[in-house]
Amino acid sequence: MKRVVSVSLGSSTRDKTSQVEILGQKFEVSRIGTDGDMTKFAQLVRELDGDVDAIGLGGIDRYLWTDKRRYTIRDADRLAKNAVKTPVVDGSGVKNTLERRTIEYLQYNGLVDFGNSNVMVTSAVDRFGMAQTIAKLSKSVVYGDLMFACNIPIPMRSYATIRMAAQTLLPLVCRLPFKWIYPTGKKQEITVPKYQKYYHWADVIAGDWHFVRRTMPTIESGLLRGKIIITNTLTEQDIAMLKDYEVSLIATATPNLAGRNFGTNVLEGILITLLGKRPEETSVEDYSCLLEKLNWKPTITDLT
C-alpha cells in the first residue's frame, strides 16, 4: 500500500487517516498536526523520509506565486529540506490545475455566476490558480492578501495590483516567521470577526479556510447567510458549522476521502505517487492528464 502523509502546522484535533483505492492503487492517506511546533514538524519529516511515498507540507506553503513568478517561504523551505529521499509537496501543482478547473466547473455548470457576483478572495498569492481564473470571469473582486495575511485593512481590487504588491512585498514577507502571516496550531481554532463589510458585500468567498475561519462573522450577524464558500480542507464539523450559518453552497477542489476533504498537498502527494515522478519533474500537463483519468470533479455540498 502506498502512503502519503501530510505533516501540518495546524491543530492535531483535525488529524485524520483514510484508506482509498485510486486507479487501482491502494493508498493510506494521513494528516498529522503538530500544533504549530516547528521542531516537532521537522522531526516528523525526518522520521518519515524514506518510509512513505510522499510528504505533504500542511498548514504552510513552500511557494507563493503571481503569474509565473515564484517566491519561496523561508520557514517552509527549511522544513521541507529535512527530507532527502521522499518527495515533498506543498500543493502548488494542484492549486495551478485543480483550483483553476474548480472555478471553471462552477461557472460553466451554472452553479456560480462569477460575472454577476461580488467575490472576495482571501489570498491571491496563496490560491493563485483560483485567483487568476476568478479575475478573468468576474469584474467585481476584492483580494484580501493585505488584510488576511498582513492585517493591513486595505482591499485590492485588481489582479494587476496583486502583481505589483507581490513584487514589492513578497521578497520581505517570505522571510518573516511564518506564524506572523498565517494562523498555526490552536490559533486556527480562534475566531475574531474582522473585515465585516467585505463579508457583507461578497456573494462568493473564495480561498484558504483558516483565513476565513479566523475572521468570519458571528452567526448572529447573519452575514454568511446564503453565501457561497469555495475553499478546502474541511472537516465534518466545519461543514456542520457552515450549515448552522445558513451558507448556501460549499465547493472544494479536492475529493472527499472517507468523510474528509484533505488539503491540496495531500492530493498532490497522491498524484505524484501515481505518476512516479518527483514534484520538480512534474508538469501541468501531467496533472491535467491524470485528472482526466480520475474523472475529477469538485466536491459540491448544497446546504439549502
Side-chain angles (χ1 to χ4, degrees):
M1 182 180 292
K2 303 293 186 183
R3 289 183 65 204
V4 174
V5 180
S6 171
V7 182
S8 175
L9 275 180
S11 170
S12 56
T13 60
R14 299 172 68 85
D15 285 356
K16 177 86 174 177
T17 295
S18 301
Q19 293 187 0
V20 293
E21 184 168 328
I22 302 174
L23 296 181
Q25 289 270 13
K26 291 183 178 178
F27 282 85
E28 181 184 272
V29 180
S30 301
R31 184 266 193 198
I32 304 173
T34 60
D35 300 310
D37 187 332
M38 289 271 190
T39 303
K40 183 177 178 182
F41 193 117
Q43 181 183 343
L44 265 173
V45 172
R46 286 194 294 271
E47 290 173 359
L48 292 166
D49 187 28
D51 284 344
V52 299
D53 295 280
I55 298 171
L57 299 183
I60 187 168
D61 290 318
R62 191 174 188 178
Y63 305 115
L64 298 176
W65 291 77
T66 55
D67 299 322
K68 294 183 178 179
R69 184 168 296 195
R70 188 178 77 177
Y71 301 86
T72 302
I73 294 179
R74 186 168 61 178
D75 277 352
D77 199 45
R78 286 175 177 163
L79 292 171
K81 286 178 177 175
N82 284 284
V84 294
K85 300 174 185 173
T86 298
V88 177
V89 294
D90 75 336
S92 296
V94 167
K95 290 174 183 175
N96 198 21
T97 51
L98 214 62
E99 294 196 338
R100 290 183 193 278
R101 288 182 174 216
T102 297
I103 301 304
E104 291 166 352
Y105 183 94
L106 294 170
Q107 175 72 35
Y108 299 120
N109 285 278
L111 294 165
V112 181
D113 181 2
F114 287 97
N116 288 298
S117 299
N118 295 328
V119 185
M120 179 168 70
V121 179
T122 57
S123 173
V125 296
D126 169 39
R127 323 303 291 207
F128 61 102
M130 177 185 291
Q132 290 170 0
T133 310
I134 288 173
K136 292 177 183 174
L137 296 173
S138 177
K139 296 177 181 175
S140 183
V141 187
V142 161
Y143 300 96
D145 296 61
L146 292 176
M147 298 189 293
F148 289 90
C150 303
N151 201 25
I152 299 172
I154 299 176
M156 292 181 283
R157 298 184 183 276
S158 76
Y159 198 80
T161 307
I162 289 289
R163 198 177 290 125
M164 189 166 56
Q167 291 174 9
T168 305
L169 297 175
L170 283 185
L172 170 64
V173 170
C174 287
R175 298 175 68 83
L176 296 174
F178 188 71
K179 62 183 180 182
W180 291 9
I181 57 176
Y182 187 78
T184 61
K186 293 197 176 297
K187 289 182 180 176
Q188 292 183 350
E189 300 170 4
I190 298 170
T191 299
V192 179
K194 282 187 176 182
Y195 316 122
Q196 302 297 277
K197 64 184 285 188
Y198 302 106
Y199 279 102
H200 177 66
W201 169 83
D203 305 302
V204 179
I205 298 158
D208 183 272
W209 169 239
H210 291 299
F211 277 146
V212 174
R213 179 170 175 162
R214 183 167 63 167
T215 59
M216 64 196 296
T218 62
I219 194 168
E220 292 79 13
S221 72
L223 290 180
L224 289 186
R225 188 175 299 137
K227 310 280 181 174
I228 295 168
I229 308 286
I230 306 169
T231 187
N232 224 323
T233 322
L234 294 179
T235 65
E236 292 174 336
Q237 291 77 17
D238 294 328
I239 293 172
M241 180 175 69
L242 290 173
K243 188 172 185 179
D244 289 340
Y245 270 82
E246 300 184 54
V247 165
S248 66
L249 184 139
I250 305 168
T252 56
T254 52
N256 188 298
L257 302 177
R260 176 67 173 274
N261 290 103
F262 286 96
T264 51
N265 66 91
V266 173
L267 184 59
E268 191 168 330
I270 292 173
L271 296 181
I272 65 161
T273 302
L274 287 168
L275 288 165
K277 293 184 175 182
R278 297 188 70 86
E280 58 271 21
E281 300 167 341
T282 307
S283 66
V284 170
E285 289 71 28
D286 288 329
Y287 288 123
S288 296
C289 289
L290 199 47
L291 291 171
E292 292 294 333
K293 288 182 183 176
L294 291 168
N295 193 27
W296 166 89
K297 290 183 177 60
T299 302
I300 308 296
T301 306
D302 188 341
L303 298 179
T304 57

